[in-house]
Amino acid sequence: MLLGSNINNPEKNIETALLELEAKVGLILSKSKLILTKPVEFDSSNIFCNIAVKIKTQFSPFKLLSEIKAIERKMGRTKDSSYFQVYQDRIIDIDIIIFNNLKFISGKLLIPHEKNLYHRDFAREIINNVK
């Protein structure tokens, strides 16, 4: 999984999201270091705080996505980028990047997450730290 935040105390948002993930989704097996990055694919003066984590969960991909979206809503993100059709500042973003060796395509979920795994250097670097 990859987490990112760039508003309202991003490091604290990541901490809160990690606690929620462990409480609601499963055990965090490993974490990358926190990194700071400029926004990708949109303009903002707010810098992102990002982290990759490996989680052990009993959930299916769809149940996991549902739990992640519930955490995002609880933290104040009511609509994601797909709603706005553009990227924008966000309090928290949690993406499923890899799910075991599963390849899955639907309207709401793509595994592996192509952009973060193959096209964003910063994401690929921290994801590789937790594989």
Side-chain angles (χ1 to χ4, degrees):
M1 301 181 103
L2 186 67
L3 290 77
S5 173
N6 77 328
I7 54 174
N8 302 348
N9 195 346
E11 285 188 39
K12 179 70 175 155
N13 295 337
I14 296 290
E15 262 180 51
T16 300
L18 291 174
L19 291 172
E20 288 290 322
L21 283 170
E22 250 191 338
K24 306 272 196 296
V25 172
L27 180 67
I28 294 175
L29 300 174
S30 60
K31 295 188 272 191
S32 72
K33 63 182 179 178
L34 282 171
I35 63 168
L36 301 178
T37 62
K38 293 180 181 177
V40 175
E41 298 183 43
F42 77 103
D43 293 324
S44 175
S45 59
N46 299 314
I47 298 299
F48 272 88
C49 183
N50 297 284
I51 193 169
V53 296
K54 182 177 184 178
I55 291 183
K56 181 178 182 178
T57 186
Q58 301 290 329
F59 295 148
S60 70
F62 272 126
K63 176 66 173 165
L64 179 58
L65 181 63
S66 174
E67 293 295 323
I68 288 169
K69 293 301 176 189
I71 291 168
E72 289 180 346
R73 282 190 303 277
K74 181 178 180 181
M75 291 183 65
R77 186 177 186 196
T78 57
K79 295 183 173 122
D80 64 23
S81 302
S82 63
Y83 176 83
F84 295 107
Q85 298 297 307
V86 294
Y87 292 114
Q88 53 187 210
D89 293 329
R90 45 206 175 267
I91 194 160
I92 193 67
D93 184 30
I94 307 171
D95 290 327
I96 302 168
I97 307 301
I98 299 169
F99 195 102
N100 296 326
N101 292 320
L102 182 70
K103 291 188 183 208
F104 185 85
I105 300 172
S106 79
K108 295 186 180 234
L109 184 59
L110 173 66
I111 300 173
H113 190 296
E114 300 280 330
K115 278 189 179 182
N116 284 324
L117 196 56
Y118 302 116
H119 303 292
R120 295 179 177 159
D121 291 339
F122 79 90
R124 189 171 50 244
E125 179 184 326
I126 61 175
I127 290 163
N128 285 334
N129 288 333
V130 297
K131 278 187 173 178

